[in-house]
Amino acid sequence: MPADRLHLVRHGEVYNPRRVLYGRLPGYQLSVDGRRMARQAAEYVQSLERPVSALVCSPLERTRESAEPFAEIFDVDPRIDERVIEPTNVFEGRRMVKALVNPWNWRHLRKPALPSWGEPYGEVIARMNAAMTQAWESVDSGDVVIVSHQLPIWITHLAVTGRPSRHDPRERRCALSSVTSFEMPDGKWTEVAYAEPATTAGAVDVGAV
């Protein structure tokens, strides 16, 4: 038997005083509030009274740190999976407000459905599905937690619910340390719950791709 439920958990708030789009850049770690948010997410999953048998996270600092309270609470070692990492983006390291008013950058916006500024949505969906399926099949029972990033989680939600990949990033339902949960009846992913257990008032959330 595979897992019973899979939770995609977004990382907590990142210390980002320059408010840049950090993407895959190294050195962007959780803020003090971000660590609190990560623990609130882990405590929420604990409150479901469902055993967690496997823990997966992307290799970036903010997801590895967000996985720590899950590892502590559920006594499970995290496994790094490159497939659940943040997508690439040509605007990494820049403040988006300034970048978008520069006409030189408009060429990167020519095909928003792909998107033309970074990794194609189809590739993100494929790698997330592969990572989720492997994690799902890696255990005999219990739940699986994957700590990832806003875009991979949201684009997975769109794919599972049969919606187009093209979207407005400002309208993503994927808050810091949110938990999006899935099951796989009859071999097909089905979203079963979404929760925002962390207190995020006043949080800085401008670094997502």
Side-chain angles (χ1 to χ4, degrees):
M1 294 290 292
D4 298 310
R5 185 170 294 180
L6 183 147
H7 309 281
L8 291 183
V9 179
R10 190 183 172 202
H11 60 78
E13 181 190 53
V14 174
Y15 180 66
N16 183 17
R18 294 179 53 228
R19 301 197 175 200
V20 301
L21 192 154
Y22 38 72
R24 294 185 180 183
L25 294 175
Y28 283 89
Q29 301 176 329
L30 294 184
S31 65
V32 172
D33 281 344
R35 288 187 173 275
R36 171 186 52 76
M37 293 174 193
R39 176 156 289 276
Q40 288 176 316
E43 290 174 348
Y44 163 75
V45 174
Q46 182 185 35
S47 75
L48 300 177
E49 298 183 348
R50 305 176 61 90
V52 170
S53 302
L55 175 61
V56 178
C57 63
S58 102
L60 298 179
E61 291 99 323
R62 56 190 182 272
T63 42
R64 288 190 282 111
E65 291 173 341
S66 295
E68 289 174 1
F70 287 93
E72 176 187 339
I73 289 174
F74 295 103
D75 191 25
V76 58
D77 293 329
R79 176 174 62 82
I80 302 297
D81 192 329
E82 294 274 355
R83 294 172 296 184
V84 301
I85 197 172
E86 187 86 88
T88 57
N89 191 293
V90 298
F91 296 114
E92 282 184 355
R94 306 183 193 182
R95 296 188 64 173
M96 288 304 297
V97 173
K98 292 184 177 180
L100 294 179
V101 298
N102 184 346
W104 179 253
N105 291 325
W106 294 350
R107 60 198 169 98
H108 298 303
L109 308 176
R110 65 189 184 279
K111 294 182 179 180
L114 289 177
S116 49
W117 55 81
E119 182 181 5
Y121 290 142
E123 294 181 8
V124 179
I125 292 169
R127 62 177 170 83
M128 285 294 291
N129 179 66
M132 291 168 63
T133 301
Q134 180 179 343
W136 180 266
E137 295 175 347
S138 70
V139 299
D140 295 327
S141 62
D143 289 7
V144 172
V145 171
I146 298 179
V147 186
S148 186
H149 307 268
Q150 186 188 70
L151 186 280
I153 295 173
W154 180 244
I155 209 72
T156 296
H157 158 79
L158 294 178
V160 168
T161 56
R163 297 166 59 187
S165 299
R166 181 176 180 174
H167 65 280
D168 184 339
R170 297 170 296 182
E171 298 179 357
R172 293 173 185 164
R173 185 216 60 185
C174 189
L176 293 164
S177 291
S178 59
V179 182
T180 309
S181 302
F182 302 84
E183 294 179 359
M184 191 189 280
D186 303 320
K188 183 178 180 180
W189 291 115
T190 299
E191 186 172 319
V192 296
Y194 172 76
E196 297 181 3
T199 305
T200 60
V204 175
D205 188 14
V206 296
V209 171

